[in-house]
């Protein structure tokens, strides 16, 4: 196995958003996700649970919720995600009243 270019500190792992997401999923769906590999496997096995969990964890704001998580999921090219949902991209980016950047652009 190739050597990792970078490994986060234990403190970094403990406070990471991904760790918090895995804990939320583990508690909400009664599954044991102890590492990224477990999360990856769960996301592939249960996409109808994974993607709504991402939506909820990220607190996506929508004017209208989705009717279907994924239509035509047999082909990523033709897949339609969160069909029926209506949301405003800018509303989701600009909803926080803080000094953090809403958009970062690198050319």
């Amino acid at each position: 196995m190739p050597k990792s270019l970078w490994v986060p500190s234990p403190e970094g792992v403990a406070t990471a958003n991904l760790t918090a997401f895995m804990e939320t999923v583990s508690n909400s769906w009664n599954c044991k996700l102890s590492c990224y590999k477990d999360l990856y496997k769960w996301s592939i096995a249960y996409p109808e649970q994974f993607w709504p969990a991402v939506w909820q964890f990220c607190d996506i704001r929508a004017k209208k919720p989705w009717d279907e998580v994924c239509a035509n999921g047999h082909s990523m090219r033709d897949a339609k995600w969160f069909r029926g949902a209506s949301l405003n991209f800018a509303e989701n980016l600009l909803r926080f009243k803080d000094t953090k950047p809403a958009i970062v652009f690198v050319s």
Side-chain angles (χ1 to χ4, degrees), residues 3 34 50-51 67 104:
K3 184 178 177 183
S34 59
F50 174 77
W51 290 108
D67 300 318
V104 176

Side-chain angles (χ1 to χ4, degrees), residues 19-85:
T19 301
F21 176 66
M22 289 176 12
E23 289 172 5
T24 299
V25 167
S26 292
N27 294 331
S28 299
W29 295 98
N30 197 23
C31 59
K32 176 102 169 90
L33 304 176
S34 59
C35 63
Y36 176 80
K37 189 175 183 179
D38 292 343
L39 177 63
Y40 177 77
K41 287 179 183 178
W42 184 77
S43 74
I44 300 300
Y46 303 101
E48 297 287 326
Q49 295 172 357
F50 174 77
W51 290 108
V54 170
W55 181 293
Q56 291 163 357
F57 183 81
C58 294
D59 193 26
I60 302 297
R61 310 277 171 94
K63 296 194 183 319
K64 181 179 179 275
W66 67 85
D67 300 318
E68 188 176 12
V69 173
C70 183
N72 297 331
H74 56 278
S75 166
M76 287 301 286
R77 185 174 61 107
D78 298 324
K80 305 291 184 211
W81 294 96
F82 296 104
R83 185 176 230 153

Side-chain angles (χ1 to χ4, degrees), residues 80-94:
K80 305 291 184 211
W81 294 96
F82 296 104
R83 185 176 230 153
S86 176
L87 57 103
N88 182 306
F89 187 64
E91 175 187 5
N92 280 278
L93 288 177
L94 301 174

